[in-house]
């Protein structure tokens, strides 16, 4: 047996509006979960105390739920609670994961499971963005969009053409003629340059530095940001980058800014490199991290900066799992 949650709000405290609201809510729950009344064990409602005109349980009976036990109760008056709200929990004999349904203003109650959800995670290199983003995306069953990979693919395109990544004119020529795309295989992002999977090739320290240089150019950012917005507008996703909360998706439902001391970030990067068989002295890794921070923070277009409404988290003394847990709690608690 599974519990299906849902809620809706009504415009007026009238029998008519309550009946309409309950009917829409239950029918949506039925259709989204592909169930019939026979699958439902019981339905419980509660409503805010500003709704006095009709019992939701009675409205449900009238909406065609004749046989399952129904129950409704009134909630205590709580300051700041969503006005004219009807909440429901239906217990049903289903095997699949329940699809919870939040309608009208009740969408605000559970932004994480209702409607499209974009989570922006910005921060400097090594702050834990990508690991945390992957954990969160898996937890919420949504896509993870690694926007840095796109700039890395741009850098690789320039390397292949022997172009200086600081030379805007030459970069523009290359970027206007290449095709950069991302696809998903088993939930994992694959980055494509002119139709070829370059996901591994773009993970070298030299491409990291060149991606930072190439990403400073307007021509590059415009093309990549357009692609990022297209993906984010069609899918719920966690996006990590430098300018997601400030520039790519200023209206993202949730925004976080991860930080950590450069030494800690360099240590993490050195460990990741070692796993990939990349040997680089720690001092060099640290120097690259600091240079990249400087470049990313001080460029003219969409620099690395915390969005005013992003939640800042210092990840220095936390594991990736701990950070992900913290962010998930913030998301589920509505921040
Ligand atoms: O996250 P990363 O290390 O893969 O990013 C590589 C570079 O790409 C980074 O130094 C700056 C740039 N970048 C950016 O300018 N904007 C983004 N949204 C993501 C990355």
């Amino acid at each position: 047996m599974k519990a299906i949650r849902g809620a809706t709000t009504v415009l007026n405290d009238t029998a008519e509006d309550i009946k309409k609201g309950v009917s829409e809510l239950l029918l949506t729950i039925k259709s989204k979960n592909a169930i019939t009344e026979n699958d439902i064990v019981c339905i419980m409602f509660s409503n805010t105390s500003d709704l006095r005109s009709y019992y939701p349980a009675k409205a449900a009976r009238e909406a065609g739920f004749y046989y399952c036990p129904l129950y409704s109760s009134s909630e205590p008056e709580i300051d700041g609670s969503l006005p004219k709200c009807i909440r429901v929990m239906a217990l049903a004999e289903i095997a699949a994961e329940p699809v919870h349904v939040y309608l009208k203003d009740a969408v605000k109650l559970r932004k994480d499971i209702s409607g499209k959800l974009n989570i922006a995670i910005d921060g400097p290199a090594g702050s834990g963005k990508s690991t945390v983003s992957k954990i969160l995306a898996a937890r919420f069953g949504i896509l993870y969009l690694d926007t840095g990979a796109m700039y890395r693919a741009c850098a690789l395109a320039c390397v292949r053409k022997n172009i200086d990544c600081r030379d805007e004119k030459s970069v523009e020529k290359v970027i206007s003629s290449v095709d950069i795309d991302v696809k998903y295989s088993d939930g994992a992002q694959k980055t494509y340059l002119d139709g070829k999977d370059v996901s591994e090739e773009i993970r070298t320290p030299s491409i990291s530095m060149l991606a930072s240089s190439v990403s400073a150019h307007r021509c590059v950012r415009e093309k990549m940001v357009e692609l990022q917005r297209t993906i984010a507008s069609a899918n719920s996703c966690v996006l990590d980058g430098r300018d997601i909360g400030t520039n790519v998706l200023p209206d993202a439902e949730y925004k976080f800014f991860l930080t950590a001391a450069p030494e800690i970030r360099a240590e993490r990067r050195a460990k990741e490199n070692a796993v990939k068989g990349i040997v680089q002295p720690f001092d060099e890794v640290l120097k690259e991290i600091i240079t990249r921070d400087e470049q990313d923070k001080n460029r003219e277009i969409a620099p690395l900066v915390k969005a005013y409404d992003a939640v800042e988290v210092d990840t220095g003394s936390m594991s990736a799992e701990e950070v992900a847990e913290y962010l998930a709690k913030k998301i589920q608690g509505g921040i």
Side-chain angles (χ1 to χ4, degrees):
M1 190 160 58
K2 301 272 168 58
I4 307 169
R5 281 300 325 265
T8 189
T9 55
V10 296
L11 222 48
N12 303 298
D13 176 23
T14 59
E16 196 191 348
D17 278 12
I18 293 172
K19 284 188 211 178
K20 270 201 247 159
V22 166
S23 169
E24 184 190 8
L25 184 59
L26 293 182
L27 295 179
T28 311
I29 285 178
K30 261 172 63 178
S31 75
K32 292 257 181 205
N33 287 280
I35 51 173
T36 67
E37 195 198 339
N38 292 336
D39 301 311
I40 299 178
V41 177
C42 69
I43 307 175
M44 289 164 276
F45 296 93
S46 69
N47 58 265
T48 45
S49 56
D50 52 1
L51 291 180
R52 294 154 190 265
S53 303
Y54 217 71
Y55 293 116
K58 196 166 174 209
R61 212 43 105 215
E62 288 168 19
F65 291 78
Y66 298 115
Y67 305 110
C68 61
L70 300 166
Y71 171 81
S72 52
S73 64
S74 176
E75 296 169 11
E77 213 172 306
I78 293 173
D79 273 353
S81 74
L82 196 60
K84 302 194 187 67
C85 180
I86 300 167
R87 293 179 172 82
V88 68
M89 182 156 79
L91 300 183
E93 296 290 3
I94 50 171
E97 278 309 297
V99 179
H100 307 293
V101 173
Y102 288 78
L103 304 173
K104 308 278 176 355
D105 276 357
V107 166
K108 290 181 197 147
L109 296 171
R110 289 299 303 266
K111 284 201 240 175
D112 58 323
I113 55 171
S114 57
K116 192 172 59 58
L117 171 74
N118 286 147
I119 303 170
I121 303 193
D122 289 304
S127 55
K129 301 184 303 291
S130 66
T131 316
V132 167
S133 298
K134 278 180 204 158
I135 299 174
L136 277 186
R139 179 165 177 157
F140 291 129
I142 62 181
L143 289 187
Y144 161 49
L145 181 59
D146 171 1
T147 64
M150 296 179 177
Y151 294 100
R152 287 169 178 269
C154 292
L156 181 63
C158 293
V159 168
R160 285 184 176 171
K161 297 261 180 216
N162 274 324
I163 293 297
D164 180 350
C165 285
R166 290 164 303 180
D167 175 1
E168 182 157 16
K169 282 243 147 41
S170 311
V171 169
E172 187 162 10
K173 253 195 210 153
V174 173
I175 295 305
S176 63
S177 66
V178 293
D179 179 34
I180 287 166
D181 201 5
V182 299
K183 291 182 186 153
Y184 288 86
S185 157
D186 289 335
Q189 174 176 323
K190 298 278 173 207
T191 308
Y192 288 79
L193 172 59
D194 287 333
K196 295 255 158 58
D197 183 354
V198 293
S199 311
E200 295 299 320
E201 215 177 323
I202 56 175
R203 294 286 151 202
T204 63
S206 81
I207 291 288
S208 301
M209 295 308 292
L210 295 171
S212 175
S213 302
V214 95
S215 68
H217 302 308
R218 186 177 300 280
C219 56
V220 173
R221 298 207 75 81
E222 279 178 357
K223 189 162 169 172
M224 293 308 107
V225 168
E226 191 187 341
L227 179 56
Q228 291 157 20
R229 286 186 182 145
T230 303
I231 296 170
S233 68
N235 301 280
S236 288
C237 47
V238 183
L239 300 93
D240 82 356
R242 304 292 186 287
D243 63 334
I244 309 301
T246 51
N247 176 49
V248 180
L249 298 175
D251 294 329
E253 281 77 10
Y254 298 98
K255 296 183 188 179
F256 299 98
F257 192 81
L258 307 189
T259 61
E263 291 73 15
I264 293 176
R265 293 189 280 121
E267 231 169 77
R268 290 174 180 164
R269 191 47 45 94
K271 271 192 197 145
E272 282 166 20
N273 285 348
V275 170
K276 285 189 234 153
I278 299 171
V279 186
Q280 207 184 5
F282 177 78
D283 286 352
E284 203 176 299
V285 180
L286 178 60
K287 199 167 141 231
E288 286 185 359
I289 289 259
I290 293 171
T291 310
R292 213 138 67 93
D293 283 0
E294 287 301 308
Q295 287 184 183
D296 296 345
K297 278 183 197 164
N298 294 314
R299 68 176 174 228
E300 209 177 301
I301 313 158
L304 167 65
V305 63
K306 175 183 150 345
Y308 78 93
D309 52 352
V311 174
E312 184 165 343
V313 184
D314 183 341
T315 67
S317 59
M318 296 163 92
S319 70
E321 287 72 23
E322 284 169 339
V323 180
E325 185 62 31
Y326 180 76
L327 302 198
K329 283 223 171 87
K330 286 268 174 205
I331 292 166
Q332 282 161 339
I335 298 205

